[in-house]
């Protein structure tokens, strides 16, 4: 059995939140590739993973 699965079954702890953030960062970094400013390329993934931007993007 995979170590990650076994650990989850015994402890109930998962790294799903960090994996989700990594996926969002990769997608946003790909989308920002065409930006002229290197600062904006670095800022876009950072902004996409903040709590405030996620809350505003999906109002309840």
């Amino acid at each position: 059995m995979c170590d990650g699965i076994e650990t989850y079954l015994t402890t109930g702890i998962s790294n799903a939140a960090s994996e989700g953030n990594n996926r969002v960062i990769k997608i946003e970094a790909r989308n920002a590739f065409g930006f002229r400013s290197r600062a904006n390329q670095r800022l876009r993934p950072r902004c996409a993973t903040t709590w405030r931007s996620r809350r505003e993007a999906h109002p309840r």
Side-chain angles (χ1 to χ4, degrees):
M1 187 182 292
C2 181
D3 291 335
I5 295 171
E6 186 177 343
T7 302
Y8 174 73
L9 292 174
T10 57
T11 64
I13 298 173
S14 172
N15 68 340
S18 62
E19 291 296 330
N21 277 337
N22 289 340
R23 183 184 57 82
V24 169
I25 289 169
K26 285 181 183 180
I27 290 170
E28 290 297 324
R30 285 187 199 124
N31 291 338
F33 184 72
F35 286 7
R36 293 177 189 229
S37 169
R38 300 279 293 172
N40 287 343
Q41 284 181 348
R42 286 191 305 268
L43 186 62
R44 184 170 174 161
R46 195 173 295 166
C47 289
T49 56
T50 61
W51 284 104
R52 182 179 299 157
S53 68
R54 279 187 272 167
R55 210 172 25 236
E56 290 171 359
H58 303 289
R60 292 190 174 107

